[in-house]
Amino acid sequence: MGRAPRDYTLDGVDAVLPGRVVEDARVVVHGGQVVEVGPAPRGSRADLHGGGALCLPGLVDVHTDVLGHEASPRPGARLPLDLATRAATDRLVAAGVLTAYHGVAYGDRTPVGLPPAGPGAEALLTALAGDEVREDGARVLHRVDIRCPSAVESLRGVLESAEARDLRAAGGGPVLVSHEDHTPGIGQYARLGTMERWLVERAGMSSAGALEHVARWRADREERAEVAAVTLAYLGDLARSGRVRLAGHDPETVEDVDALVARGGAVAEFPTTVAAARAARSAGLSVVMGAPNVVRGASHTGNVSARELVEEGVVDALASDYVPASMLASVDVLVREGLATLPRAVELVTSGPARAAGLVDRGALVPGTRADLVLARRRGAWLSVVATLRSVA
């Protein structure tokens, strides 16, 4: 796994192209870009031989929380952030993900109302801004808690800083911002019991303590409705002026989607109901669902099944969320269950998320795109990455 030469030819692969698979294909790369993909000419010789592996575009992940998990693998356990960043990148690459948007949260509490345990936004942004890290495919998904007054001010400072402008110019693609509202009773935690169960199982609270905490957290959040309105107005101004590409996290109703469209949103992240997903797709938003949801066959919070939405044709992209390996595994599941052809399933983890992020230079094996390639082979029931070739363009 690693960077490839700027110029090379690869054959002996089954190449997954938009809408079709080319068996015994040859891929020609020049200057770090794909210049030709098609059947290998008879008698031709290539620099690299794929040994019959599937050849996919490098996977694009528009929402991963793997960095935070690597930085704080257990409660009270912190690892050096540079080591965690390296480990997160290696873990993503091993899963075939060559472009990854790491979630950086702005807010003074976690979604379940606890003090953050991992590194803060400033530390994560610094870790992700290094040239080597960015060359390895790291990008940032700015995740803003709309009911936290300090969150929007922190984001404002980042976007208005000279460093952010430089990052925007060099990063490849627009600044991606997702607004989030984890108030109990709506969105991801529409069922109060979901948050209560999480607090018992993951935070070690008693059932009574979790019940009391959720009630208090909900009341506190509801008192901040005015903060949410101001934050959404600010984000709408940014989106409509083209300064950011805006995503709405966990839209639940048609009204949520209509409001997202009105403020200039481009992406519906993890809609929680069939109605919201349909409305988002009808409005021209990119609909992103969780790959772990596909692999499990259900949402871990009891919301709509991603498989159901894929079968209905209203999903544009899948994101790893909290399991990098779920991206490639979701391809297996969708094909195995007859919910998508192989080319369509691959699009959901490559060109679909690239479009959602506003990236036009990757995600498909077609001439003119970055030569980020993944070779995968089936081992047992699952596809497994055997090599990655990252463009040096």
Side-chain angles (χ1 to χ4, degrees):
M1 297 183 182
R3 284 179 171 77
R6 288 180 58 83
D7 306 301
Y8 67 93
T9 54
L10 165 70
D11 68 6
V13 295
D14 291 342
V16 183
L17 279 63
R20 63 194 178 106
V21 177
V22 178
E23 297 181 350
D24 192 20
R26 181 180 71 169
V27 182
V28 181
V29 175
H30 181 69
Q33 289 192 333
V34 175
V35 296
E36 179 186 332
V37 184
R42 192 169 184 178
S44 66
R45 301 181 65 179
D47 301 304
L48 303 173
H49 192 278
L54 279 178
C55 181
L56 316 175
L59 276 57
V60 179
D61 190 353
V62 290
H63 185 128
T64 177
D65 295 330
V66 66
L67 179 52
H69 295 168
E70 292 289 348
S72 299
R74 289 188 177 181
R78 293 280 190 94
L79 296 181
L81 195 48
D82 58 345
L83 172 61
T85 305
R86 180 73 269 149
T89 299
D90 289 348
R91 188 174 167 191
L92 287 159
V93 171
V97 177
L98 300 188
T99 303
Y101 283 81
H102 295 269
V104 173
Y106 297 80
D108 55 17
R109 293 276 167 169
T110 68
V112 295
L114 299 177
E122 183 177 352
L124 289 175
L125 290 172
T126 299
L128 293 169
D131 290 342
E132 182 176 305
V133 176
R134 295 192 64 76
E135 288 171 2
D136 284 339
R139 300 289 185 269
V140 174
L141 170 63
H142 302 273
R143 302 177 57 186
V144 185
D145 177 357
I146 64 171
R147 294 184 189 240
C148 177
S150 64
V152 69
E153 292 308 314
S154 296
L155 176 65
R156 190 192 305 271
V158 167
L159 296 181
E160 292 178 355
S161 69
E163 291 82 0
R165 288 193 294 272
D166 293 342
L167 188 64
R168 185 159 57 249
V175 174
L176 193 58
V177 176
S178 176
H179 60 64
E180 305 185 350
D181 188 344
H182 289 291
T183 300
I186 64 173
Q188 180 176 347
Y189 294 107
R191 298 170 178 83
L192 300 183
T194 300
M195 185 178 290
E196 292 164 7
R197 185 176 67 250
W198 191 99
L199 290 166
V200 170
E201 295 177 354
R202 301 294 296 274
M205 288 188 182
S206 65
S207 296
L211 185 67
E212 180 183 357
H213 173 86
V214 169
R216 186 171 59 250
W217 181 232
R218 183 181 188 183
D220 179 72
R221 302 281 292 177
E222 289 177 345
E223 290 175 0
R224 301 183 186 182
E226 186 174 337
V227 174
V230 171
T231 301
L232 291 174
Y234 167 68
L235 294 176
D237 289 342
L238 292 178
R240 289 187 295 268
S241 66
R243 290 185 60 193
V244 304
R245 187 169 178 83
L246 187 62
H249 192 274
D250 294 339
E252 182 179 3
T253 66
V254 172
E255 291 74 20
D256 290 340
V257 173
D258 290 343
L260 176 59
V261 171
R263 72 179 64 101
V267 181
E269 254 197 320
F270 312 135
T272 63
T273 64
V274 174
R278 287 173 176 167
R281 189 63 185 278
S282 295
L285 302 180
S286 287
V287 178
V288 178
M289 292 298 292
N293 185 325
V294 169
V295 174
R296 295 178 65 253
S299 163
H300 75 286
T301 57
N303 294 317
V304 67
S305 165
R307 291 191 195 179
E308 178 183 350
L309 297 183
V310 169
E311 184 175 24
E312 188 169 324
V314 295
V315 177
D316 298 288
L318 297 173
S320 78
D321 202 1
Y322 53 96
V323 185
S326 67
M327 295 281 280
L328 197 56
S330 67
V331 171
D332 273 317
V333 169
L334 292 175
V335 174
R336 188 182 308 144
E337 296 294 322
L339 302 177
T341 65
L342 177 59
R344 174 57 183 152
V346 168
E347 287 176 2
L348 291 174
V349 295
T350 54
S351 59
R355 286 192 297 270
L359 301 176
V360 298
D361 64 342
R362 68 198 70 195
L365 289 182
V366 297
T369 57
R370 284 177 58 94
D372 284 346
L373 308 181
V374 172
L375 302 186
R377 192 184 304 280
R378 191 166 301 285
R379 296 186 175 179
W382 304 97
L383 284 171
S384 179
V385 174
V386 295
T388 61
L389 299 166
R390 188 186 293 280
S391 170
V392 294

